[in-house]
Amino acid sequence: MTESAVPVLSFVHGKYSGREFPLDGDSMIAGRSSEADLVLADDAVSRKHVRFFGRRGRTWLRDLGSRNGTLVNGKPIELHCLRDGDRLVIGSSLIAVEYKERSEVSEARAGEAPRRRGGAEASAGHSMAGSIEEIPLMDVLQWLATSRKTGALKVRDLESGRTGALHLKDGLVYYAAIEGNLRLHPEKALMRMLLWEKGSFELESTELEEPKTRINMSLEYMLMEAARQQDELAALDKKYGLPKSRDRVTLAKRAPVRWSSLPDEQTDLIQDIIELGGWKNVLDTRETDDLSLHRTLAALKKAGLVSW
């Protein structure tokens, strides 16, 4: 990024999907009011929602006490310094921040940006689809919650080739399932999909009949728990090299300690590996979350009882 580059708001999803709006360093208000500099005709946007302004050569945004708040990279903020790649949620709009050269900016200002003072009405028929690399599912769920969407978010994991679905009602996830993992508890399926890093997603209007088991957790808890599991699994993987879905976990032929001396959760896991026919089946069958199971497996490896 050069010193001459300026931040551009690129509307990824929502009413203004496909539009761009450059921030030229002046103080600008974004909101629903017709007097705002960037008018967003959206009931989820406050009259004066957020202010963009320049300070010390950088562009900042400040939430102006909006009713629904402003999210940056999945977290509510009051003041934030914009960086290339930031993802904003303002009302029902999901916005990517891209730094572009001024020569590119002039084209965006002349052609695609929502108009200042008066607002441009964008077509509302855009489907919700995209790449997980560009928009993590955590951000997608934040946007869907703000927009109170109902339907099935179909997600495809590039690494495993599996497809899953997150079922929503008024923006809240109430059920999740992964194709080929019918025994997987819906909360585990949800957490597993939130950790997928490469793939695609698309929102479909189909609704699911009332499931036998519903997901009962707030969006805030859901996202915090997914972030926690992601961080701790990464730390465990760095230390022990966790097995992949196709890896075979084998028991030591000569255990260095008696199984009877192990904690209950470790002996239970050994028994499950034997009886369920492998590590993948353990992950898919046990209701215990994936992080806890991997912690126990790592402890068994450290004790020299298993390998993969």
Side-chain angles (χ1 to χ4, degrees), residues 186-205:
E187 289 188 2
K188 286 189 69 170
L190 166 65
M191 288 297 157
R192 199 171 290 182
M193 281 187 275
L194 285 176
L195 299 185
W196 288 350
E197 297 180 341
K198 294 182 179 181
S200 59
F201 61 85
E202 182 174 5
L203 182 65
E204 298 180 355
S205 60

Side-chain angles (χ1 to χ4, degrees), residues 25 44 76 104 107 161 181 188 211 214-215 221-222 236 251 262-263:
E104 299 178 82
E107 295 175 9
N181 292 64
K188 286 189 69 170
R214 290 180 65 97
I215 293 174
Y221 176 82
M222 186 186 303
L236 281 174
L251 304 179
L262 299 176

Side-chain angles (χ1 to χ4, degrees), residues 3 8 36 82 134 145 153 190 235 241 245 249 252 281 306:
E3 292 184 2
V8 175
L82 290 182
E134 295 178 1
L153 186 69
L190 166 65
S245 59
V249 173
N281 290 336
V306 299

Side-chain angles (χ1 to χ4, degrees), residues 77-140:
I77 60 91
E78 294 182 1
L79 178 67
H80 177 77
C81 179
L82 290 182
R83 296 175 176 81
D84 190 42
D86 279 346
R87 297 175 302 277
L88 319 180
V89 174
I90 300 177
S92 58
S93 290
L94 180 57
I95 305 165
V97 177
E98 301 178 44
Y99 274 77
K100 297 186 176 183
E101 296 300 321
R102 291 190 180 276
S103 58
E104 299 178 82
V105 167
S106 60
E107 295 175 9
R109 182 180 295 281
E112 295 185 303
R115 293 185 194 135
R116 296 177 180 234
R117 301 195 188 282
E121 294 295 324
S123 62
H126 298 285
S127 63
M128 179 65 176
S131 163
I132 296 174
E133 294 97 315
E134 295 178 1
I135 313 172
L137 289 181
M138 295 184 190
D139 289 354
V140 175

Side-chain angles (χ1 to χ4, degrees), residues 155-164 178-181 192 196 280 284:
V155 188
R156 181 175 176 79
D157 178 38
L158 187 62
E159 183 177 338
S160 67
R162 288 192 168 179
T163 300
I178 297 176
E179 202 173 70
N181 292 64
R192 199 171 290 182
W196 288 350
K280 179 182 176 301
D284 290 351

Side-chain angles (χ1 to χ4, degrees), residues 223-233 289 291 295:
L223 299 181
M224 288 179 62
E225 180 64 13
R228 181 184 73 86
Q229 290 195 25
Q230 185 177 46
D231 290 343
E232 293 196 31
L233 282 168
D289 64 84
L291 174 59
R295 279 181 184 153

Side-chain angles (χ1 to χ4, degrees), residues 29-33 36-41 45-50:
I29 302 291
R32 196 178 72 253
S33 170
D37 299 293
L38 174 57
V39 179
L40 300 175
V45 174
S46 296
R47 289 180 60 79
K48 293 184 178 180
H49 198 106
V50 67

